[in-house]
Amino acid sequence: MRVTYDSISLASGDLALGRVGPSGLSVNGVQAVDEVEYYRALTKAYHGLGLRGVEFTFAVTRLFATEAQAELFALTHHDDLPDEGDLVVVCGEDAVDEASAGITGAVLASVDIQSVRGLAVTVRYRFQGGRFAAWPSES
């Protein structure tokens, strides 16, 4: 699986790129819900209002040539990413069998540095957007 955000590669199955992951992948769909308490009813009623969205989180272990590069990345990476951009996930490692989905105008909700260990930095990304949809192939 490969993940790009605003054309910036965040995760790849190719170890040579130094971005191991994604791991701990989570896709949470949300919807606005109206909670109603009717007079003399025994239970509350709930109505889906639409307004659907999705929250997409994953972790990546980034590898660096020196400890100084790893530490500098940990301190500055959040500011290297734009607030909004297209988030594209390419599923499958074989070019014949891959498929892509994306969120147009996804919002970077958080960048959490989970650990800095020697030459490796583990980062957890959280994005929010409207919905995943089929995406044109990157090839």
Side-chain angles (χ1 to χ4, degrees):
M1 178 180 283
R2 297 186 314 269
V3 180
T4 60
Y5 176 60
D6 198 42
S7 300
I8 300 167
S9 177
L10 297 180
S12 173
D14 186 356
L15 186 59
L17 295 177
R19 294 169 180 83
V20 181
S23 64
L25 188 78
S26 173
V27 181
N28 296 313
V30 294
Q31 175 183 208
V33 176
D34 186 23
E35 179 181 306
V36 182
E37 296 180 18
Y38 293 108
Y39 178 70
R40 298 184 63 117
L42 297 175
T43 62
K44 296 179 181 181
Y46 297 89
H47 304 283
L49 299 177
L51 297 172
R52 291 175 178 245
V54 67
E55 183 174 278
F56 180 67
T57 62
F58 61 95
V60 176
T61 300
R62 306 272 304 241
L63 305 174
F64 296 88
T66 68
E67 286 186 24
Q69 288 175 342
E71 293 165 358
L72 183 61
F73 172 84
L75 294 171
T76 63
H77 182 54
H78 180 261
D79 292 327
D80 293 339
L81 299 171
D83 295 338
E84 291 185 32
D86 293 339
L87 179 71
V88 179
V89 179
V90 179
C91 304
E93 295 299 322
D94 183 2
V96 175
D97 190 35
E98 71 182 26
S100 301
I103 301 174
T104 302
V107 174
L108 177 67
S110 68
V111 176
D112 299 322
I113 304 299
Q114 293 185 314
S115 70
V116 180
R117 292 187 182 152
L119 306 178
V121 177
T122 302
V123 183
R124 175 163 289 284
Y125 297 98
R126 184 167 62 98
F127 295 93
Q128 293 176 315
R131 68 181 180 100
F132 274 104
W135 201 265
S137 176
E138 292 183 340
S139 52

